[in-house]
Amino acid sequence: MSYITIENIRLTADDTKGISLFQTNNITIDNCEIDNMTGSGSYGIGGAAVNDDDLFNITITNSDIHDNSYHGIWFNYGDNTAGETGRIYILTITGNNIYANQVSGIKCNSVNSSGGTNHFISDVTITDNNIYSNYRYGLALSSCDNQSGSNLI
């Protein structure tokens, strides 16, 4: 799926994840409220690159993401098994209120548990967000080639 805009919606109080992105590109999430996703590992917005599939050009802007049972926003590079070539790149998170999530406000990480290549999440821009009152971290970045600034954490 590609070239999709999700705007002006509210997702609330569900025993699952808010918005999950896989095998997608050119996605904009604008002016949404995502809260109270309560299932185990439930995040507000998240995605992963798995196998040979890229996830790219994702924009999350002007949204309220709060009170979720895991991360507010989470992008993960899968387990990087040998031979995986999928990538995550061009990720923009700007102008959001991200708060009261049970783990991190925003987390971007790459996991290398299977001896594969440790790929980076690249071209990440995180600016002008209000990130507060999250249980563990406001902003957690691991294996990201990123640019961040002007965030209130």
Side-chain angles (χ1 to χ4, degrees), residues 63-103:
S63 294
D64 291 326
I65 303 156
H66 60 92
D67 294 293
N68 296 295
S69 68
Y70 204 46
H71 305 291
I73 297 173
W74 181 34
F75 285 90
N76 178 28
Y77 195 96
D79 69 359
N80 296 318
T81 55
E84 258 188 12
T85 59
R87 302 176 300 147
I88 298 176
Y89 57 99
I90 312 174
L91 174 61
T92 303
I93 303 169
T94 186
N96 301 289
N97 294 306
I98 305 164
Y99 59 94
N101 296 290
Q102 292 302 306
V103 182

Side-chain angles (χ1 to χ4, degrees), residues 8-9 14-15 18-19 23 33 36-37 39 41 48 52 56-57 63 73 76 82-85 90 101 114 134 141 153:
N8 302 320
I9 64 166
D14 200 352
D15 189 27
I19 298 173
Q23 300 176 335
E33 183 172 8
N36 291 298
M37 299 296 137
D52 298 331
F56 64 93
N57 201 18
S63 294
I73 297 173
N76 178 28
E84 258 188 12
T85 59
I90 312 174
N101 296 290
S114 303
N134 295 286
L141 304 174
I153 301 176

Side-chain angles (χ1 to χ4, degrees), residues 13-60:
D14 200 352
D15 189 27
T16 187
K17 296 160 178 66
I19 298 173
S20 295
L21 303 171
F22 300 93
Q23 300 176 335
T24 60
N25 61 72
N26 298 293
I27 305 295
T28 299
I29 299 168
D30 181 35
N31 198 37
C32 293
E33 183 172 8
I34 303 168
D35 65 286
N36 291 298
M37 299 296 137
T38 59
S40 177
S42 291
Y43 48 74
I45 300 170
V50 293
N51 302 320
D52 298 331
D53 299 313
D54 290 348
L55 180 65
F56 64 93
N57 201 18
I58 308 298
T59 300
I60 303 167

Side-chain angles (χ1 to χ4, degrees), residues 87-148:
R87 302 176 300 147
I88 298 176
Y89 57 99
I90 312 174
L91 174 61
T92 303
I93 303 169
T94 186
N96 301 289
N97 294 306
I98 305 164
Y99 59 94
N101 296 290
Q102 292 302 306
V103 182
S104 302
I106 300 172
K107 183 170 185 178
C108 294
N109 67 298
S110 176
V111 178
N112 185 356
S113 61
S114 303
T117 303
N118 192 21
H119 298 281
F120 287 86
I121 299 174
S122 61
D123 298 317
V124 178
T125 302
I126 302 171
T127 58
D128 300 320
N129 297 287
N130 295 313
I131 306 167
Y132 60 94
S133 298
N134 295 286
Y135 184 70
R136 287 194 183 163
Y137 308 104
L139 179 60
L141 304 174
S142 172
S143 298
C144 288
D145 171 11
N146 67 76
Q147 307 165 20
S148 64

